[in-house]
Amino acid sequence: MQEATGSDLKFIIEYVKQRRGASGVRMMLNVLNKPSILFTGVGDIGRTQIFPEDIYKKVIESAAAVLGGDMKTRMNQLGYALGDRAKMTKFIAKFSTPKQLVRLLEDGIIEDIPFVKSSVNEVSKHITILRVTARKNGERFLDAADGYITAVLDQAGRSLTISEKKMSDTELSYKFVLG
């Protein structure tokens, strides 16, 4: 992900509004505007406007903070919401092979989750490894990527079996058995 659109930011804000109401959105804007003012209100964000990745990162982190509780769990939930938003997989999963689905996951993570990078390694004909690596200051977003992958796999419901999942401080890897 290099940049985010206003609709990406509004999706996160709408998620907070559903969970915490208008007061949650106000709290989120207060957290966002701490060092300097980014947005005076939600109306300042145009749907087609382009924002740097740093602002998208800050919006997601402030949403997780406002939602409260364990930061790791909240980041995972936000990732799941972003993965659920990627409705394209319901249609595409019916017409794609499991290998193509793993490639779609790789591309989706790059597009939708900030401060991580993903790669696919085909070990054999039936085993593929998807790695998500945190970039500098992106360690929290591994949890969001994990939620994203879970959401897409829930939508797909394909013959894509997770045989192994490893998570460290800087990397998340899924070993898929295709078949």
Side-chain angles (χ1 to χ4, degrees):
M1 156 150 278
Q2 303 305 318
E3 48 197 26
T5 63
S7 63
D8 295 330
L9 301 183
K10 283 193 177 222
F11 175 78
I12 299 295
I13 292 169
E14 191 60 36
Y15 183 82
V16 170
K17 187 176 181 180
Q18 289 173 359
R19 301 284 183 263
R20 296 286 186 244
S23 64
V25 174
R26 282 193 298 276
M27 287 183 349
M28 185 177 160
L29 286 172
N30 287 341
V31 171
L32 273 171
N33 293 329
K34 278 289 188 219
S36 63
I37 295 177
L38 288 175
F39 308 111
T40 55
V42 179
D44 292 351
I45 304 169
R47 290 219 176 263
T48 58
Q49 197 173 355
I50 303 295
F51 293 94
E53 186 178 29
D54 292 338
I55 291 178
Y56 190 44
K57 175 186 181 215
K58 193 170 180 181
V59 166
I60 292 174
E61 287 176 334
S62 64
V66 166
L67 290 171
D70 181 35
M71 188 69 146
K72 188 175 182 81
T73 305
R74 295 301 178 203
M75 290 297 281
N76 194 296
Q77 288 173 341
L78 285 166
Y80 193 91
L82 287 168
D84 195 39
R85 178 182 179 217
K87 298 279 188 212
M88 53 89 183
T89 54
K90 284 185 182 179
F91 175 74
I92 293 175
K94 294 178 184 176
F95 302 107
S96 63
T97 65
K99 279 188 182 183
Q100 289 171 330
L101 194 58
V102 173
R103 292 285 180 193
L104 285 172
L105 267 171
E106 176 190 21
D107 293 342
I109 290 169
I110 291 170
E111 289 287 320
D112 294 336
I113 308 292
F115 281 78
V116 295
K117 57 185 177 183
S118 60
S119 63
V120 172
N121 184 11
E122 294 180 13
V123 178
S124 71
K125 184 177 177 182
H126 297 288
I127 296 175
T128 300
I129 297 174
L130 172 67
R131 277 192 180 82
V132 180
T133 309
R135 293 188 353 235
K136 185 178 179 185
N137 299 325
E139 292 78 15
R140 286 183 176 169
F141 289 92
L142 289 176
D143 295 316
D146 185 32
Y148 185 91
I149 292 168
T150 304
V152 171
L153 291 177
D154 287 350
Q155 286 178 27
R158 294 281 302 186
S159 60
L160 197 62
T161 309
I162 300 170
S163 68
E164 194 176 333
K165 174 183 165 184
K166 292 181 184 176
M167 189 161 186
S168 69
D169 291 342
T170 59
E171 186 177 271
L172 167 68
S173 68
Y174 279 87
K175 185 177 182 182
F176 294 107
V177 177
L178 311 173

